[in-house]
Amino acid sequence: MSASDEVRNLVQRYARGADERDVDALGVLVGARGTQTLDAWLESMRAPRTFPSSMHVLGDPLITLDEAGGSGTLDTYAVVYQLGDAAAGQKDLTLGIRYLDDVVRHEGRWVIRHREARTLWTR
């Protein structure tokens, strides 16, 4: 598998882990997400969910890799569907997000070192 395919798979695994609240899958992150520390972000993933379920639909990422240096960047557009609790009168929320990731090779695999999530729109 090429390095680009490995990084593309990383982003897909990450989205699925976030949707499933699989903290162990997300625990491979190295560094911080935005202005949160990794520990603070993981704790937010363990907290009760604001929305009962979510689904990330990712566009094909724009990938730039320096394989010799073991680093790179990803620029990924996403639409995130957050489904509300209809029985409690909670409405759904849809977000357009742009994920800007710095990735590095760490212990033989690509991981996200830093992520900036920019909300482009909500509906």
Side-chain angles (χ1 to χ4, degrees):
M1 180 180 299
S2 74
S4 291
D5 287 337
E6 289 179 39
V7 171
R8 187 174 286 106
N9 288 346
L10 166 66
V11 175
Q12 292 290 341
R13 282 193 314 274
Y14 178 90
R16 284 159 178 77
D19 290 336
E20 296 296 322
R21 294 295 199 247
D22 183 351
V23 175
D24 292 332
L26 300 173
V28 300
L29 298 172
V30 175
R33 174 185 176 230
T35 58
Q36 291 181 299
T37 65
L38 176 60
D39 288 338
W41 185 81
L42 288 173
E43 187 59 34
S44 73
M45 293 300 289
R46 292 181 181 102
R49 297 177 76 143
T50 304
F51 289 86
S53 61
S54 65
M55 185 174 77
H56 286 69
V57 179
L58 304 178
D60 196 29
L62 177 61
I63 301 170
T64 305
L65 294 178
D66 173 7
E67 291 183 57
S71 64
T73 61
L74 290 96
D75 184 341
T76 310
Y77 285 103
V79 177
V80 180
Y81 299 97
Q82 297 194 1
L83 304 180
D85 182 351
Q90 184 183 31
K91 295 186 183 243
D92 297 342
L93 177 65
T94 306
L95 302 101
I97 297 181
R98 185 175 179 194
Y99 292 113
L100 302 169
D101 297 320
D102 294 328
V103 296
V104 294
R105 294 253 338 139
H106 178 72
E107 297 180 359
R109 63 188 286 194
W110 289 96
V111 297
I112 298 171
R113 180 184 53 166
H114 178 268
R115 166 166 276 188
E116 178 182 347
R118 293 182 186 169
T119 301
L120 304 175
W121 53 265
T122 61
R123 178 171 292 180

